[in-house]
Amino acid sequence: MASSQRYVQIPQTEQAERVELEPIEEQNEDVPLYTPLPNQTITVVLPSYEEVQRIKEREDAVLAPGEPAAVQTNDGATVPVGDDLTFTCTFLLGLLLGWIGLLCTMCIPHSIASRAGASSGFGVWLMAWALREQRIHLLLEEGYLNDDQVPDQPPYSRVAVSVAAMFGFVLFLCGCMTFIQGKALARRQGLM
């Protein structure tokens, strides 16, 4: 054999001895595949539902560095605070779209900033609507507008318009105060 070959056959010097295999017996289903040693015990203790919920709440309470701050409410729930941009965007949606903006921004996001911004924006929209109704009525009274120029104008009620304007102002103040209190609570809890 040449030494340049990659594989070299080794000559057999001994005869391989014959080994007889024992037949495999059928395994009894009662015998477990794993039997613990005498000093080992296998026990699995699963947590109860309440313990799992407490663990989840604790994990949710610990925030990663990039996560938004969430405050603990009186009933034990955690609600994200949100940021100023969220408040401003939902404020503008509530202001520009009125009822539709209020419903969209109250139902979809769930942070304090988004809900407070939506109610504040709707409050300003309601005040603007009341002022518009009052202005249209004054223009109709003074003769600058005809009834043909303002179709489907409901009868004017100074009390209803005043109540709508005050309700809008209260909504605006409540929304702003809710957001300010939510941010202050997050700061007190050390989350911001």
Side-chain angles (χ1 to χ4, degrees), residues 148-161:
D148 299 335
Q149 293 174 329
V150 186
D152 300 330
Q153 185 66 21
Y156 178 73
S157 171
R158 184 178 303 268
V159 174
V161 170

PDB file of all heavy atoms in Angstrom, residues 148-161:
ATOM      1  N   ASP A 148     -82.160  81.551   4.915  1.00  0.00           N
ATOM      2  CA  ASP A 148     -81.745  80.679   3.818  1.00  0.00           C
ATOM      3  C   ASP A 148     -80.256  80.348   3.899  1.00  0.00           C
ATOM      4  O   ASP A 148     -79.821  79.296   3.432  1.00  0.00           O
ATOM      5  CB  ASP A 148     -82.021  81.357   2.467  1.00  0.00           C
ATOM      6  CG  ASP A 148     -83.504  81.643   2.274  1.00  0.00           C
ATOM      7  OD1 ASP A 148     -84.311  80.924   2.901  1.00  0.00           O
ATOM      8  OD2 ASP A 148     -83.838  82.571   1.506  1.00  0.00           O
ATOM      9  N   GLN A 149     -79.454  81.215   4.475  1.00  0.00           N
ATOM     10  CA  GLN A 149     -78.018  80.991   4.570  1.00  0.00           C
ATOM     11  C   GLN A 149     -77.656  80.011   5.685  1.00  0.00           C
ATOM     12  O   GLN A 149     -76.577  79.424   5.666  1.00  0.00           O
ATOM     13  CB  GLN A 149     -77.299  82.328   4.822  1.00  0.00           C
ATOM     14  CG  GLN A 149     -77.386  83.273   3.655  1.00  0.00           C
ATOM     15  CD  GLN A 149     -76.795  84.617   3.995  1.00  0.00           C
ATOM     16  OE1 GLN A 149     -76.841  85.058   5.144  1.00  0.00           O
ATOM     17  NE2 GLN A 149     -76.246  85.285   2.985  1.00  0.00           N
ATOM     18  N   VAL A 150     -78.534  79.831   6.660  1.00  0.00           N
ATOM     19  CA  VAL A 150     -78.279  78.917   7.774  1.00  0.00           C
ATOM     20  C   VAL A 150     -79.408  77.892   7.801  1.00  0.00           C
ATOM     21  O   VAL A 150     -80.401  78.068   8.497  1.00  0.00           O
ATOM     22  CB  VAL A 150     -78.207  79.678   9.119  1.00  0.00           C
ATOM     23  CG1 VAL A 150     -77.790  78.729  10.221  1.00  0.00           C
ATOM     24  CG2 VAL A 150     -77.261  80.844   9.029  1.00  0.00           C
ATOM     25  N   PRO A 151     -79.283  76.814   7.032  1.00  0.00           N
ATOM     26  CA  PRO A 151     -80.369  75.824   7.009  1.00  0.00           C
ATOM     27  C   PRO A 151     -80.391  74.980   8.286  1.00  0.00           C
ATOM     28  O   PRO A 151     -79.361  74.762   8.932  1.00  0.00           O
ATOM     29  CB  PRO A 151     -80.030  74.971   5.791  1.00  0.00           C
ATOM     30  CG  PRO A 151     -78.556  75.095   5.638  1.00  0.00           C
ATOM     31  CD  PRO A 151     -78.203  76.470   6.142  1.00  0.00           C
ATOM     32  N   ASP A 152     -81.564  74.520   8.619  1.00  0.00           N
ATOM     33  CA  ASP A 152     -81.779  73.596   9.752  1.00  0.00           C
ATOM     34  C   ASP A 152     -81.214  74.132  11.062  1.00  0.00           C
ATOM     35  O   ASP A 152     -80.586  73.401  11.832  1.00  0.00           O
ATOM     36  CB  ASP A 152     -81.172  72.221   9.464  1.00  0.00           C
ATOM     37  CG  ASP A 152     -81.781  71.582   8.240  1.00  0.00           C
ATOM     38  OD1 ASP A 152     -82.963  71.866   7.966  1.00  0.00           O
ATOM     39  OD2 ASP A 152     -81.079  70.815   7.552  1.00  0.00           O
ATOM     40  N   GLN A 153     -81.436  75.397  11.316  1.00  0.00           N
ATOM     41  CA  GLN A 153     -80.981  75.992  12.574  1.00  0.00           C
ATOM     42  C   GLN A 153     -82.035  75.731  13.647  1.00  0.00           C
ATOM     43  O   GLN A 153     -83.188  76.110  13.498  1.00  0.00           O
ATOM     44  CB  GLN A 153     -80.768  77.500  12.386  1.00  0.00           C
ATOM     45  CG  GLN A 153     -80.200  78.206  13.578  1.00  0.00           C
ATOM     46  CD  GLN A 153     -78.782  77.776  13.900  1.00  0.00           C
ATOM     47  OE1 GLN A 153     -78.066  77.251  13.072  1.00  0.00           O
ATOM     48  NE2 GLN A 153     -78.388  77.969  15.134  1.00  0.00           N
ATOM     49  N   PRO A 154     -81.659  75.022  14.742  1.00  0.00           N
ATOM     50  CA  PRO A 154     -82.643  74.769  15.791  1.00  0.00           C
ATOM     51  C   PRO A 154     -83.002  76.067  16.509  1.00  0.00           C
ATOM     52  O   PRO A 154     -82.265  77.052  16.427  1.00  0.00           O
ATOM     53  CB  PRO A 154     -81.927  73.802  16.731  1.00  0.00           C
ATOM     54  CG  PRO A 154     -80.492  74.059  16.511  1.00  0.00           C
ATOM     55  CD  PRO A 154     -80.344  74.476  15.076  1.00  0.00           C
ATOM     56  N   PRO A 155     -84.118  76.073  17.212  1.00  0.00           N
ATOM     57  CA  PRO A 155     -84.448  77.289  17.968  1.00  0.00           C
ATOM     58  C   PRO A 155     -83.368  77.579  19.002  1.00  0.00           C
ATOM     59  O   PRO A 155     -82.835  76.670  19.639  1.00  0.00           O
ATOM     60  CB  PRO A 155     -85.785  76.955  18.635  1.00  0.00           C
ATOM     61  CG  PRO A 155     -86.026  75.527  18.408  1.00  0.00           C
ATOM     62  CD  PRO A 155     -85.111  75.036  17.356  1.00  0.00           C
ATOM     63  N   TYR A 156     -83.068  78.842  19.160  1.00  0.00           N
ATOM     64  CA  TYR A 156     -81.984  79.262  20.029  1.00  0.00           C
ATOM     65  C   TYR A 156     -82.454  79.318  21.474  1.00  0.00           C
ATOM     66  O   TYR A 156     -83.516  79.845  21.777  1.00  0.00           O
ATOM     67  CB  TYR A 156     -81.470  80.634  19.584  1.00  0.00           C
ATOM     68  CG  TYR A 156     -80.369  81.179  20.440  1.00  0.00           C
ATOM     69  CD1 TYR A 156     -79.094  80.657  20.371  1.00  0.00           C
ATOM     70  CD2 TYR A 156     -80.606  82.221  21.328  1.00  0.00           C
ATOM     71  CE1 TYR A 156     -78.072  81.157  21.147  1.00  0.00           C
ATOM     72  CE2 TYR A 156     -79.586  82.734  22.115  1.00  0.00           C
ATOM     73  CZ  TYR A 156     -78.324  82.186  22.018  1.00  0.00           C
ATOM     74  OH  TYR A 156     -77.312  82.687  22.800  1.00  0.00           O
ATOM     75  N   SER A 157     -81.662  78.767  22.365  1.00  0.00           N
ATOM     76  CA  SER A 157     -81.928  78.840  23.794  1.00  0.00           C
ATOM     77  C   SER A 157     -80.646  79.298  24.467  1.00  0.00           C
ATOM     78  O   SER A 157     -79.638  78.590  24.462  1.00  0.00           O
ATOM     79  CB  SER A 157     -82.360  77.476  24.338  1.00  0.00           C
ATOM     80  OG  SER A 157     -82.419  77.517  25.723  1.00  0.00           O
ATOM     81  N   ARG A 158     -80.689  80.504  25.014  1.00  0.00           N
ATOM     82  CA  ARG A 158     -79.504  81.076  25.641  1.00  0.00           C
ATOM     83  C   ARG A 158     -79.032  80.203  26.801  1.00  0.00           C
ATOM     84  O   ARG A 158     -77.831  80.032  27.022  1.00  0.00           O
ATOM     85  CB  ARG A 158     -79.811  82.489  26.118  1.00  0.00           C
ATOM     86  CG  ARG A 158     -78.620  83.211  26.693  1.00  0.00           C
ATOM     87  CD  ARG A 158     -78.973  84.627  27.105  1.00  0.00           C
ATOM     88  NE  ARG A 158     -79.509  85.409  26.009  1.00  0.00           N
ATOM     89  CZ  ARG A 158     -78.767  86.177  25.198  1.00  0.00           C
ATOM     90  NH1 ARG A 158     -77.476  86.225  25.379  1.00  0.00           N
ATOM     91  NH2 ARG A 158     -79.325  86.871  24.238  1.00  0.00           N
ATOM     92  N   VAL A 159     -79.965  79.601  27.548  1.00  0.00           N
ATOM     93  CA  VAL A 159     -79.606  78.760  28.696  1.00  0.00           C
ATOM     94  C   VAL A 159     -78.894  77.494  28.231  1.00  0.00           C
ATOM     95  O   VAL A 159     -77.860  77.100  28.803  1.00  0.00           O
ATOM     96  CB  VAL A 159     -80.862  78.419  29.524  1.00  0.00           C
ATOM     97  CG1 VAL A 159     -80.525  77.434  30.626  1.00  0.00           C
ATOM     98  CG2 VAL A 159     -81.481  79.669  30.090  1.00  0.00           C
ATOM     99  N   ALA A 160     -79.414  76.861  27.177  1.00  0.00           N
ATOM    100  CA  ALA A 160     -78.796  75.617  26.695  1.00  0.00           C
ATOM    101  C   ALA A 160     -77.386  75.870  26.180  1.00  0.00           C
ATOM    102  O   ALA A 160     -76.460  75.083  26.443  1.00  0.00           O
ATOM    103  CB  ALA A 160     -79.653  75.000  25.602  1.00  0.00           C
ATOM    104  N   VAL A 161     -77.207  76.962  25.468  1.00  0.00           N
ATOM    105  CA  VAL A 161     -75.880  77.284  24.948  1.00  0.00           C
ATOM    106  C   VAL A 161     -74.929  77.622  26.089  1.00  0.00           C
ATOM    107  O   VAL A 161     -73.760  77.201  26.092  1.00  0.00           O
ATOM    108  CB  VAL A 161     -75.984  78.437  23.922  1.00  0.00           C
ATOM    109  CG1 VAL A 161     -74.608  78.950  23.539  1.00  0.00           C
ATOM    110  CG2 VAL A 161     -76.730  77.971  22.691  1.00  0.00           C
TER     111      VAL A 161
END
